[in-house]
């Protein structure tokens, strides 16, 4: 009985060993498949991230261009605003000259009117 049981045990060990080897191969294959799928997904994510980066770079460049245009317009407005006091001063001077001219014309007309020439 011991010989039969030893043989049975030996066969059982071989059976278990063979099944474990097959199971190991199947597990290795599944892990390899999973690794490939994970690598593919990471590659897809890398491509998407690169696309987003390039789009962001383009948007940033557009915004910077818009900011430069706004800055240029702001500088034009600032120089125009700085000229306003000069213009009002000149207009005030013209107003004074106009008043002086009216006074001189009125004086000349009044002088001629007194002398009876008009």
């Amino acid at each position: 009985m011991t010989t039969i049981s030893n043989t049975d045990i030996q066969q059982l060990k071989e059976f278990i060993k063979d099944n474990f080897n097959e199971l190991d191969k199947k597990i290795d294959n599944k892990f390899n498949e999973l690794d490939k799928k994970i690598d593919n997904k990471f590659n897809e994510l890398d491509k998407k991230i690169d696309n987003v980066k390039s789009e962001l770079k383009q948007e940033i460049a557009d915004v910077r261009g818009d900011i430069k245009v706004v800055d240029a317009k702001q500088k034009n407005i600032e120089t125009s605003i700085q000229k306003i006091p000069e213009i009002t001063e000149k207009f005030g001077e013209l107003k004074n000259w106009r008043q002086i001219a009216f006074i001189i014309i009125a004086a000349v007309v009044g002088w001629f009117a007194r002398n009876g020439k008009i």
Side-chain angles (χ1 to χ4, degrees), residues 34 36 42 47 59 70 76 82 89 92 103:
L34 282 173
K36 287 179 183 176
F42 274 120
K47 287 179 184 176
E59 290 295 324
V70 168
N76 286 340
Q82 289 173 354
E89 185 179 330
I103 291 171

Side-chain angles (χ1 to χ4, degrees), residues 74-117:
Q74 181 183 1
K75 287 179 184 177
N76 286 340
I77 290 172
E78 285 175 354
T79 47
S80 297
I81 288 174
Q82 289 173 354
K83 291 180 182 178
I84 288 176
E86 294 173 16
I87 293 172
T88 54
E89 185 179 330
K90 287 182 181 179
F91 181 75
E93 290 173 4
L94 286 176
K95 188 177 175 185
N96 290 340
W97 281 108
R98 207 179 317 158
Q99 287 176 348
I100 292 170
F102 283 130
I103 291 171
I104 292 173
I105 292 171
V108 169
V109 170
W111 185 70
F112 281 119
R114 281 190 197 167
N115 289 334
K117 295 186 179 181

Side-chain angles (χ1 to χ4, degrees), residues 6 9 13 23 29 38 48-49 54 57 80 95 106-107 116:
N6 280 340
I9 290 175
K13 282 182 180 180
L23 187 61
N29 287 339
I38 288 171
K48 288 180 180 179
I49 288 172
S54 64
K57 285 181 182 178
S80 297
K95 188 177 175 185

